[in-house]
Amino acid sequence: MTQTLAGFGLGMRRPHHAAYVEGSAPVDFIEVISENFLVDGGRPLDTLMRARANYPLALHGVSLSVGSADGLRADYLDRLKLLVERVEPAVVSDHLCWTRTGGFNAHDLLPLPMTEEALGVVCANIERAQDHLGRRMLFENPSSYIAFAGSMTEWEFLSAMVRRTGCGLLLDINNIFVSATNHGFDALAYLDSIPWHAVDQVHLAGHSQGEALLIDTHDRPVPDSVWSLYCAAVARGGVRPTMIERDGDIPPLDDLLGELAIARTIATTGARVGEAA
Amino acid sequence: MTCTPAAPAADMPLATLQRAFRDWLVEGDEAAAQPLGAASGLAVYQNNYRSALVESLEASYPRLLAWLGSERFAACAATYADAHPPHHWTLDAFGDRLAGMLAELYPDDPEIADLARLDWALGQAFVAADAVPIGPADLAAVDWDSAAIRFVPSFDRLVLRGNADAIWRALVSGEAPPQPRTELPSPVVVVWRQGFETVMRRLDEDERRVFDLARSGLGFAATCETLAQGAGEEAAVALAGRALGRWLGEAMVAAID
């Protein structure tokens, strides 16, 4: 049975699989990387099905390549549809980016120019994906390290996507902070302009300082800068299903639950403990 | 705050931009990169791309990595990434041609390509389709005149050049690996999954004769007839029966029909 996403969750990562399979992790939902489970069988799928029995599930993809000028891959859509039918997730998401051109797949979330041409490509691909899966998808704002000249801002692009395709948004607060810092735009203006009615999930994560740019590494705790922006997001859009994304240097589950407790506090009070609301 | 200047790529058609980005990532083509944006940002994408590919190969080939050491493995990975840019939507498929490249690079060290083939085969078996293996109790209704053996979906068979399987086992258990040596006849190793656990072992000479006939599509009766040409009927049936019994006991067989 398809469930709905609510509350506060975590990405299900291998060191903590046992807790999710047992159902002992006190979270409201889990998210997995779709591609890790687009396989024929074996332990990974069994683990997912057992965890799915305990928690509502979000499928988060990285390979749809909704920004590819030459369209989507039918074999990928078919595999994703099989998984969706198998696990009946509450949410299916991917990223506003491209990963593939022709027969080449970069396996990275590559940036798009914010142009009318790109918007047309993205919307056509979203419509095809949503038609194929028979359901609405969410798309996440990526971190970026170059900004092409374009005719609109990222939030204008996302708003147009929502209007034209009916898709939802997965708002990544860390990615807004990283891109705003790297490209010099106002993160609060971004939050002011997002179509909040379409935001069905929120990601929180940490980043690293590279030589010249902030890098979206997901390998450290959520920093104060991102918590502050999350407070601003809650003030503007209210509380959405929120989770911590941690992909590297994965700490004990209790550490991540501690971070999730901060998110809950912010959602309840509008501020971190000890801070003025 | 660090700001990157907007790149002058707005006039470039999206398909052209994406091909230029590919040329930058795969070939480090600076002429292709020039219209795309600031060097600092492009360097991040180049680094992400290369790192993800090396990490993927490290995950797919853990025993090969242990055998070669990280420095030599990284050099192989870089050569491979240049020769075989990722083509599939899953990064897990990226390393599918590494063993072939290693066989060409190291013709005098066949254990290197063989270790890669073992790592890859076990990785494929790990996520192969599930199947319920049959056992001796499922044989009552089998029509042996027409029956053919179907192995479980995770099953694979590799012909090695030498003792890479012994090296592989030693690397797994943390023991000192044996010196690589070639063997004749070439060892045949089978890989499959028992439940969720991947396993491998060599086929002995008798099993191998039965296996080669069974795998060629011959039914069980025809397999026995062929074996009987050398060994006599009674010995052939015993030989085939022993092999089949072992395979059934080891959860290798999905059906006999």
Side-chain angles (χ1 to χ4, degrees):
Chain A
M1 186 184 74
T2 300
Q3 294 171 303
T4 53
L5 220 57
F8 297 84
L10 287 174
M12 184 173 86
R13 301 295 180 257
R14 191 167 291 125
H16 310 139
H17 276 182
Y20 297 114
V21 167
E22 290 166 6
S24 60
V27 299
D28 301 319
F29 67 90
I30 55 173
E31 183 187 86
V32 298
I33 302 298
S34 308
E35 285 71 13
N36 292 345
F37 300 93
L38 297 180
V39 294
D40 292 330
R43 192 187 299 281
L45 270 178
D46 181 72
T47 298
L48 179 62
M49 295 307 292
R50 288 171 188 266
R52 167 67 181 82
N54 298 323
Y55 302 96
L57 174 69
L59 284 184
H60 188 46
V62 293
S63 296
L64 182 61
S65 196
V66 79
S68 279
D70 49 8
L72 306 180
R73 275 186 67 145
D75 59 343
Y76 176 79
L77 284 175
D78 287 342
R79 285 304 287 252
L80 182 60
K81 185 173 186 179
L82 278 178
L83 183 64
V84 166
E85 288 171 351
R86 187 167 192 166
V87 303
E88 299 183 313
V91 159
V92 182
S93 64
D94 206 292
H95 298 79
L96 173 60
C97 71
W98 68 281
T99 61
R100 184 185 56 73
T101 177
F104 168 73
N105 200 316
H107 299 292
D108 193 12
L109 310 177
L110 300 176
L112 284 163
M114 300 288 99
T115 61
E116 283 296 336
E117 186 207 2
L119 181 61
V121 165
V122 165
C123 288
N125 286 337
I126 290 175
E127 284 171 351
R128 183 178 172 205
Q130 292 187 147
D131 284 350
H132 195 85
L133 298 180
R135 62 184 293 157
R136 179 170 174 261
M137 292 185 70
L138 309 186
F139 289 90
E140 175 181 341
N141 57 299
S143 286
S144 61
Y145 312 111
I146 57 176
F148 301 115
S151 56
M152 63 189 101
T153 61
E154 186 170 290
W155 55 88
E156 289 168 341
F157 195 102
L158 290 167
S159 298
M161 264 170 55
V162 168
R163 268 198 315 276
R164 291 193 195 179
T165 70
C167 74
L169 298 178
L170 193 176
L171 198 64
D172 189 307
I173 304 298
N174 175 60
N175 289 349
I176 295 174
F177 184 83
V178 167
S179 292
T181 305
N182 287 344
H183 307 310
F185 66 74
D186 181 354
L188 294 177
Y190 194 117
L191 292 179
D192 284 338
S193 308
I194 277 293
W196 281 101
H197 67 88
V199 176
D200 284 350
Q201 193 182 345
V202 168
H203 274 176
L204 299 167
H207 53 259
S208 303
Q209 177 65 57
E211 275 185 33
L213 300 164
L214 290 186
I215 314 292
D216 177 35
T217 46
H218 295 189
D219 62 353
R220 54 193 65 197
V222 178
D224 288 345
S225 54
V226 174
W227 286 127
S228 296
L229 202 55
Y230 182 55
C231 291
V234 169
R236 284 159 177 76
V239 179
R240 310 298 160 121
T242 298
M243 56 162 278
I244 312 277
E245 260 192 322
R246 186 68 178 261
D247 297 314
D249 287 338
I250 295 175
L253 185 58
D254 281 348
D255 291 12
L256 296 176
L257 293 171
E259 288 191 90
L260 213 50
I262 297 173
R264 288 181 199 270
T265 302
I266 290 171
T268 307
T269 68
R272 294 181 68 175
V273 172
E275 291 180 349
Chain B
M1 180 178 292
T2 307
C3 303
T4 51
D11 297 336
M12 194 184 274
L14 185 61
T16 307
L17 180 153
Q18 292 179 339
R19 282 195 296 271
F21 216 117
R22 175 215 174 273
D23 291 345
W24 159 247
L25 292 176
V26 175
E27 295 158 20
D29 183 341
E30 295 190 1
Q34 194 275 331
L36 294 176
S40 57
L42 286 168
V44 173
Y45 288 109
Q46 174 78 239
N47 183 60
N48 284 353
Y49 170 71
R50 296 271 160 187
S51 303
L53 298 187
V54 173
E55 286 169 14
S56 164
L57 293 180
E58 288 175 346
S60 294
Y61 295 99
R63 309 311 161 200
L64 177 69
L65 170 61
W67 181 247
L68 292 179
S70 53
E71 195 173 323
R72 199 172 175 203
F73 186 92
C76 287
T79 303
Y80 180 73
D82 288 339
H84 302 287
H87 58 93
H88 200 275
W89 49 259
T90 173
L91 192 50
D92 291 343
F94 170 55
D96 60 355
R97 285 174 282 185
L98 181 65
M101 189 195 82
L102 294 173
E104 290 177 13
L105 276 182
Y106 301 107
D108 298 328
D109 302 302
E111 82 282 359
I112 294 177
D114 279 352
L115 281 169
R117 294 166 66 220
L118 287 169
D119 271 340
W120 188 258
L122 286 156
Q124 297 300 110
F126 184 67
V127 291
D130 300 323
V132 179
I134 62 168
D138 300 306
L139 302 182
V142 170
D143 176 359
W144 292 101
D145 287 337
S146 60
I149 299 170
R150 282 195 287 127
F151 292 93
V152 290
S154 59
F155 185 89
D156 197 6
R157 163 188 172 275
L158 306 175
V159 179
L160 303 181
R161 297 274 304 277
N163 64 337
D165 53 336
I167 296 171
W168 192 95
R169 286 186 196 287
L171 292 169
V172 169
S173 60
E175 296 164 8
Q179 285 297 313
R181 56 180 164 76
T182 54
E183 292 182 36
L184 285 173
S186 300
V188 175
V189 165
V190 288
V191 167
W192 77 106
R193 208 174 67 221
Q194 293 175 334
F196 294 134
E197 303 301 325
T198 52
V199 287
M200 72 157 166
R201 71 167 177 84
R202 287 190 180 194
L203 292 184
D204 66 31
E205 270 305 300
D206 286 347
E207 281 184 294
R208 189 168 161 175
R209 290 165 63 201
V210 180
F211 179 86
D212 287 345
L213 292 169
R215 201 87 198 277
S216 71
L218 279 186
F220 193 80
T223 295
C224 290
E225 281 171 24
T226 306
L227 289 169
Q229 290 167 14
E233 189 176 341
E234 197 172 322
V237 171
L239 183 71
R242 271 198 307 276
L244 179 59
R246 186 169 182 190
W247 299 342
L248 289 168
E250 292 179 321
M252 260 189 222
V253 180
I256 301 177
D257 51 19

